[in-house]
Amino acid sequence: MVFLVLIHGDRQATSMPPKPLKKSLRYAVTTSFGSICYGSLFTAAIRTLRWKIRGVRSKIGKNECLLCCVDFLFHLVETLVRFFNKYAYVQIAVYGKNFNHSARDAWELFQSTGVEALIAYDCSGAVIFMGTVVSGLVAGTCAGIWTRIKHPDRVMMVGSTSMLMGMILVGLATVVVESAVTSIYICYAEDPVLIQRWDAEFFNKMSEMLHQRLQHRSSRATQVFTSRFDSQTPENAV
């Protein structure tokens, strides 16, 4: 829906297909259902592993041996991300491709346009996840307090069940926001004019942030190359 609105300019536009939400739901539970289930098996696990390795990588320091091992794992996960990423769902919804083809096309699109440098620092998923966890804890705590007053012997069961239900319900609501963010990244990579037409100020902020990230990545790569070259120069001289 977000992709269609950005393409056609407005939900009430005459070029908008009739009953788009109903058609999207039908595709999701019929022709695209297999791709959605297949991707869901791997996407979340690989994304979490990628975050963990990125965090470890930033704390290693100058330990070259450990850095090489982590770099190997990082490149391995990056290869998996090429075939299993959440951005594939937008391609599946819009173009009707299978999951692997969609994931590969989405990642190649990001790398060719430089948007990969922007989404690498995207924290929207982590924020949404933390909101889901906090909501579940609040629901479980409130239910536990009420049960403690009414039925003291069932506090753990009711509290844990309420926490789980709270997380599921809030997660179902917030996943819409995460899907919208994902669609915006795809639209920006395919045609930045779509975002500019939708919200010029937001487009300028995204472009500025992307420019900063690309500059930071370039300067960091230069520093790494220079430090490695300087460390090898004395050995070659000897």
Side-chain angles (χ1 to χ4, degrees):
M1 284 300 300
V2 171
F3 196 92
L4 288 175
V5 169
L6 292 175
I7 287 178
H8 296 282
D10 186 70
R11 188 173 180 179
Q12 306 299 329
T14 56
S15 57
M16 178 72 75
K19 300 180 180 179
L21 184 60
K22 184 178 180 180
K23 289 183 178 180
S24 298
L25 178 61
R26 186 173 72 248
Y27 292 147
V29 298
T30 54
T31 56
S32 299
F33 188 69
S35 296
I36 294 172
C37 294
Y38 173 67
S40 299
L41 288 173
F42 306 100
T43 303
I46 292 175
R47 184 170 53 178
T48 303
L49 183 61
R50 187 168 180 249
W51 285 347
K52 291 290 186 181
I53 293 177
R54 188 182 296 275
V56 172
R57 191 184 185 191
S58 63
K59 299 177 182 178
I60 288 177
K62 297 182 179 180
N63 191 327
E64 292 292 336
C65 180
L66 188 58
L67 183 61
C68 288
C69 295
V70 173
D71 277 342
F72 172 76
L73 292 176
F74 183 76
H75 289 303
L76 179 62
V77 172
E78 286 292 311
T79 303
L80 293 175
V81 168
R82 181 184 295 271
F83 298 99
F84 301 99
N85 60 73
K86 64 179 181 179
Y87 305 98
Y89 297 121
V90 182
Q91 300 267 340
I92 292 171
V94 177
Y95 303 112
K97 304 175 183 177
N98 62 52
F99 185 86
N100 284 343
H101 191 187
S102 300
R104 184 171 63 252
D105 288 350
W107 201 249
E108 289 177 356
L109 176 66
F110 285 150
Q111 289 186 323
S112 63
T113 57
V115 178
E116 189 270 335
L118 187 62
I119 65 174
Y121 296 92
D122 176 43
C123 297
S124 59
V127 173
I128 290 173
F129 176 74
M130 288 301 299
T132 303
V133 172
V134 171
S135 300
L137 290 174
V138 170
T141 302
C142 294
I145 294 174
W146 179 86
T147 309
R148 179 72 177 177
I149 298 172
K150 299 292 184 178
H151 306 282
D153 57 328
R154 299 180 181 179
V155 174
M156 288 299 298
M157 182 185 69
V158 175
S160 58
T161 304
S162 300
M163 183 181 71
L164 181 60
M165 290 179 63
M167 291 180 63
I168 291 174
L169 293 175
V170 174
L172 289 174
T174 55
V175 75
V176 177
V177 179
E178 187 175 5
S179 299
V181 173
T182 302
S183 302
I184 289 173
Y185 280 127
I186 291 288
C187 287
Y188 183 80
E190 288 196 355
D191 189 359
V193 177
L194 296 175
I195 306 298
Q196 187 178 25
R197 184 178 59 187
W198 172 58
D199 191 331
E201 184 179 356
F202 180 69
F203 168 79
N204 292 333
K205 289 181 179 180
M206 283 192 69
S207 301
E208 182 181 357
M209 185 60 64
L210 177 60
H211 181 66
Q212 292 177 359
R213 293 303 181 188
L214 290 174
Q215 280 188 329
H216 174 71
R217 177 172 291 187
S218 177
S219 62
R220 186 175 180 182
T222 303
Q223 291 176 357
V224 171
F225 176 78
T226 304
S227 63
R228 290 184 178 180
F229 179 77
D230 292 342
S231 63
Q232 291 177 359
T233 300
E235 296 179 2
N236 294 333
V238 173

